[in-house]
Amino acid sequence: MVKPFMIQRCLAFIGGMSAWGLGYRVYTEGGFRSSKYQMYISYEGMRTPIALLMFCIGIISLYSSVRIKSDMPEEYICTRCEEVEVLPHDKNKIYHCPQCGGEMEVLFGFYDRHPEKKDPDRWM
């Protein structure tokens, strides 16, 4: 399972590269040609400002793709009663269940780490 912040990183990277590429294309060619609709959109009068705007949008998107943090709140599950809670992610902190006081683990991959807790009848 892919974590949501990885999807955000990928989308921000793709958007940044697209904006950067469009800015380059506007600056070098001065516009866009559509072979499907047989038309040409010219930015000749505003070529440099539009290209710079696209470059800036691309750089901001690329920068944000690197800076998106992975320490967003995660779902934790109690190892005893299997109660699920959403808590801030902190690798150094040990969380305890508010219901029974048991130790909490990250829900992602819990049943892979504890196959004995899998109950096939529970999800049917």
Side-chain angles (χ1 to χ4, degrees), residues 46-58:
M46 298 291 288
R47 176 190 231 172
T48 304
I50 290 175
L52 286 174
L53 178 68
M54 295 303 284
F55 281 136
C56 290
I57 290 171

Side-chain angles (χ1 to χ4, degrees), residues 23 55 71 85 99 117:
F55 281 136
D71 58 350
E85 295 282 331
Q99 302 292 327
K117 299 226 181 226

Side-chain angles (χ1 to χ4, degrees), residues 12 15-20 53-63:
M17 291 303 292
S18 298
W20 209 13
L53 178 68
M54 295 303 284
F55 281 136
C56 290
I57 290 171
I59 288 171
I60 290 169
S61 294
L62 288 173
Y63 179 74

Side-chain angles (χ1 to χ4, degrees), residues 4-109:
F5 77 91
M6 289 303 291
I7 295 171
Q8 290 174 343
R9 278 186 177 176
C10 290
L11 289 176
F13 180 78
I14 290 169
M17 291 303 292
S18 298
W20 209 13
L22 288 173
Y24 178 76
R25 188 170 177 188
V26 167
Y27 188 72
T28 57
E29 297 176 14
F32 300 102
R33 180 172 308 281
S34 172
S35 58
K36 183 177 181 181
Y37 299 109
Q38 285 84 30
M39 64 184 218
Y40 181 74
I41 300 171
S42 176
Y43 294 110
E44 210 48 57
M46 298 291 288
R47 176 190 231 172
T48 304
I50 290 175
L52 286 174
L53 178 68
M54 295 303 284
F55 281 136
C56 290
I57 290 171
I59 288 171
I60 290 169
S61 294
L62 288 173
Y63 179 74
S64 69
S65 74
V66 175
R67 298 290 300 166
I68 291 175
K69 296 190 185 260
S70 62
D71 58 350
M72 293 192 283
E74 282 198 81
E75 292 180 328
Y76 283 79
I77 187 168
C78 177
T79 54
R80 269 196 243 161
C81 67
E82 296 184 26
E83 179 72 28
V84 177
E85 295 282 331
V86 178
L87 301 168
H89 181 70
D90 189 0
K91 291 181 182 179
N92 300 327
K93 189 171 183 179
I94 297 173
Y95 292 107
H96 295 284
C97 179
Q99 302 292 327
C100 69
E103 190 174 322
M104 303 284 278
E105 282 189 29
V106 177
L107 179 61
F108 183 73

